[in-house]
Amino acid sequence: MRPSNGKAVLLALALATVLTGAASCEVSSTPGAAAPSSTSTTGSGGTSGATKPPAGNPANATAALEQLTVTAAGSMAGYSREKFTHWIGQGDGCDTRDVVLKRDGKGVKADAECKITAGTWYSPYDDKTLTDPKALDIDHMVPLAAGWRSGASKWTDEQRKQFANDLTRPQLFAVSLQSNRSKGDQDPSTWKPPNKGYWCTYAQDWVTVKSFYKLTVTAAEKSALTEMLATCK
């Protein structure tokens, strides 16, 4: 039975609505060549249940390294740490630094304002165990300045804030103050963890972060990462 004219009109309108809705949908972009997603990784969820990003896979890291664009380091013109707003609020009175210290330590204690007062931490960069929160720094796996030189200079301030506070990728770690200050803003071509047993993990994490944010690498950096990945067993 053919539908009446009234039913036919209703069916046509319904179909047009579906097609219009489908046409208007947009797929959110993943980090592109110039910038990461602007979706925030921080904020209202609180700090409970924070876990370290899972360990990578050497084969995957090697393949991902081959996909990174190799180019000369960019200029530092215009750079400042203030353009990478960091240690922002993560809920429950804690900031990003507090969350990482809680996540990476054992027996961690904090006061009513979420400031860390005690605990035990292992610094994999230099194979040291520490019990004084003041002896720790929160390291950016890919330093802010290194990110700037490899593509972050083109991002928005909001995107740089995401990069500086990323608790999802292997970008933030509690390490000894000495090792973090020694590393500074250097890439693996000029600085590697003194603990050679950590080279495999360090290289995987570095590649994971650079791949997600579509940052470039220099030829020397790629060579150093290849050397470090060769230590994986």
Side-chain angles (χ1 to χ4, degrees):
M1 178 184 294
R2 295 180 61 186
S4 64
N5 289 342
K7 290 183 178 180
V9 170
L10 290 174
L11 288 172
L13 288 172
L15 179 59
T17 300
V18 171
L19 291 175
T20 301
S24 66
C25 292
E26 295 181 359
V27 179
S28 59
S29 61
T30 55
S37 164
S38 60
T39 301
S40 174
T41 60
T42 64
S44 61
T47 61
S48 61
T51 57
K52 285 187 178 181
N57 177 285
N60 291 345
T62 299
L65 177 58
E66 290 303 314
Q67 297 300 313
L68 295 179
T69 299
V70 179
T71 187
S75 170
M76 286 294 290
Y79 169 78
S80 73
R81 287 179 65 84
E82 286 67 32
K83 291 184 177 180
F84 293 80
T85 304
H86 51 290
W87 307 167
I88 62 175
Q90 294 286 352
D92 299 333
C94 304
D95 63 20
T96 306
R97 173 185 167 81
D98 300 324
V99 173
V100 176
L101 287 173
K102 284 186 173 184
R103 182 197 69 187
D104 291 1
K106 294 182 179 180
V108 178
K109 296 180 180 180
D111 63 20
E113 296 180 347
C114 197
K115 297 311 170 188
I116 311 304
T117 59
T120 301
W121 294 266
Y122 175 68
S123 172
Y125 291 1
D126 45 6
D127 192 27
K128 291 182 178 180
T129 298
L130 305 165
T131 58
D132 181 1
K134 295 180 181 178
L136 294 155
D137 266 353
I138 304 304
D139 177 57
H140 288 94
M141 171 57 59
V142 176
L144 305 182
W148 181 272
R149 293 192 296 267
S150 55
S153 61
K154 300 175 183 177
W155 298 348
T156 66
D157 288 344
E158 182 63 29
Q159 289 161 342
R160 285 190 283 265
K161 180 170 72 174
Q162 176 189 342
F163 177 75
N165 295 275
D166 193 343
L167 294 166
T168 305
R169 263 61 56 179
Q171 168 68 341
L172 298 171
F173 295 95
V175 299
S176 72
L177 185 150
Q178 291 86 350
S179 65
N180 187 53
R181 302 296 168 84
S182 172
K183 174 181 174 178
D185 68 354
Q186 300 177 83
D187 68 47
S189 68
T190 54
W191 189 90
K192 299 179 181 67
N195 177 16
K196 191 172 182 179
Y198 194 66
W199 282 13
C200 173
T201 300
Y202 188 89
Q204 290 178 65
D205 290 347
W206 186 281
V207 171
T208 296
V209 174
K210 282 228 161 174
S211 294
F212 180 81
Y213 287 99
K214 299 297 186 289
L215 296 170
T216 63
V217 293
T218 66
E221 180 184 351
K222 181 177 180 179
S223 177
L225 288 165
T226 300
E227 175 190 356
M228 295 171 78
L229 289 171
T231 66
C232 299
K233 296 180 181 180

